[in-house]
Amino acid sequence: MAIKTIIEPFRIKSVEPIRQTTREERRRLLEAAGYNLFLIPSTDILIDLLTDSGTGAMSTEQWAAMMRGDESYAGSPSFTRFRDSVQAIFGFKHVIPTHQGRAAERILFSVMCKKGDVVPNNTHFDTTRANCEFVGAEAVDLPVPEASQPSLVHPFKGNMDTAKLAQLIERVGAKRVPLVMLTVTNNSGGGQPVSMANIRAVKEICARHAIPLYIDACRFAENSYFIKQREPGYAGKTPRAIAQEMFRHADGCTMSAKKDGMANIGGFLCTNDDAVAQHERDLLILTEGFPTYGGLAGRDLEAIAVGLNEALEEDYLNYRIVSTAYLGDHIAKEGVPIVQPPGGHAIYIDARAFLPHVAPTEFPGVALAGELYVEGGIRSVEIGTLMFGEHATMDLVRLAIPRRVYTQSHIDYVIEVILEVWKRREAIRGLVLTHQAPFLRHFTARFRPLAMAPARPATP
Ligand SMILES: Cc1ncc(COP(=O)(O)O)c(C=O)c1O
């Protein structure tokens, strides 16, 4: 009989101790952090599921490649290896390194957008929205209707609503739409994949209006694997071939290599347009660095060059997708409401359904994330009213799984903690916002528990 257990496809060479704290310590730490888990030192976290971004474990091949890093200011062979590795998968003519994804976004929007423009996306990630709005353009989310129903199972909930895209372009005029973006997988929409058919359909609409299509490619390998598993006609193709096909439909991309680049830092911006690339490189020099390093060390470029290929290995992707689903399936089985089906890099708990007695204006996602910390030292993140303000259609708590970091027993522990909090959910209170910054407020916001608030309505 064939062995069914799917194991971590690696063995551990170097270990990093994690520290237990008491419930009382965690209560105090949470209060001191203004109920914002971003403000708690990582040494006081037991299992850190805040993000899958830059938190992965590198392979022996990546560490070995880093030793080859050439730190020349200009023309480093590390850049050549990085560019060749990116081009072999992504296929774009110009590859511009940046220190992380948002730097690529800032440069892209500064070059392509101006005040009054409109940028459609399946769902803008927070930094994407912020960078788009910072140059005065309007960021419009056009997810398919299925995306707003957390419990609904659909293979490609990350898809863009193509009818709405066509209507939007018709309404505002193609001249005001400098680019269309597709985020694969759709992080803010539950880590859900975008199908190849949807990418093709979006491209067709863009092509009719001569609008370039850009892919926010952070989790391109996970998206490719979902296509292989779920889309007719792709089962026999490699994730690499699927990724190459995805990018053939696009005119450029932004990438945070902290996700499917398997690196701890880095990103890039790609385009096929010579004039746009020239303008982007001019801006790059201003804030990121010379175009052959773009704010990265030569060794970082080497780690990404190797990591992009490792992210496409089938054994790795199978383990990655199955182990994320393991967490989701185990808590869903006990009744915990999650975004279905489980995403690629994270499980998203539906905080509005978990805490129906806490209004969205009382930040159910922030309250739930705080309780998971108090119960078991787990750090997660709210994706909802705090992150998106009035644009929020859901209040989710994201449990993002760092790549190649935690074992199944860590995840079993996380399941136990969530189920303990689930048992006492009715006693959990909402929060009142006491401090917020003008941009990306979730990073620094502070709260106090609603019970201690004066008797007036909370504001988002
Ligand atoms: C979909 C998406 N786009 C863009 C970014 C921004 O990348 P970075 O954090 O490297 O700036 C992220 C990061 O989490 C993301 O998930």
Side-chain angles (χ1 to χ4, degrees), residues 51-53 99-105 123-128 183-188 216-219 254-259 265-267 345 398:
T51 177
D52 63 320
S53 179
H99 79 274
Q100 61 182 92
R102 70 198 68 185
E105 291 165 359
T123 311
H124 287 84
F125 183 65
D126 62 349
T127 59
T128 324
T183 306
V184 303
T185 57
N186 187 355
N187 185 2
S188 311
D216 178 339
C218 297
R219 298 177 181 83
T254 56
M255 173 73 185
S256 168
K258 301 171 74 175
K259 285 86 170 174
I265 195 69
H345 68 293
R398 186 186 72 180

Side-chain angles (χ1 to χ4, degrees), residues 256-331:
S256 168
K258 301 171 74 175
K259 285 86 170 174
D260 280 349
M262 306 291 244
N264 300 119
I265 195 69
F268 51 88
L269 172 58
C270 293
T271 178
N272 285 331
D273 185 316
D274 296 344
V276 166
Q278 185 55 48
H279 198 165
E280 287 171 348
R281 288 199 181 97
D282 292 345
L283 274 184
L284 186 83
I285 293 182
L286 207 60
T287 56
E288 293 282 299
F290 193 73
T292 58
Y293 75 87
L296 293 170
R299 53 182 168 269
D300 299 325
L301 296 167
E302 298 277 1
I304 297 165
V306 176
L308 289 170
N309 291 302
E310 291 183 353
L312 286 168
E313 282 169 12
E314 261 189 78
D315 273 357
Y316 160 72
L317 281 169
N318 190 31
Y319 139 79
R320 172 80 176 149
I321 301 302
V322 168
S323 59
T324 303
Y326 177 88
L327 167 58
D329 292 344
H330 274 74
I331 57 173

Side-chain angles (χ1 to χ4, degrees), residues 362-377:
E362 296 165 6
F363 303 98
V366 183
L368 176 56
E371 291 301 323
L372 296 178
Y373 176 68
V374 170
E375 190 66 43

Side-chain angles (χ1 to χ4, degrees), residues 30 51 206 338 340 383 395:
L30 187 64
T51 177
C206 290
I338 65 165
Q340 290 284 7
I383 298 201
D395 277 283

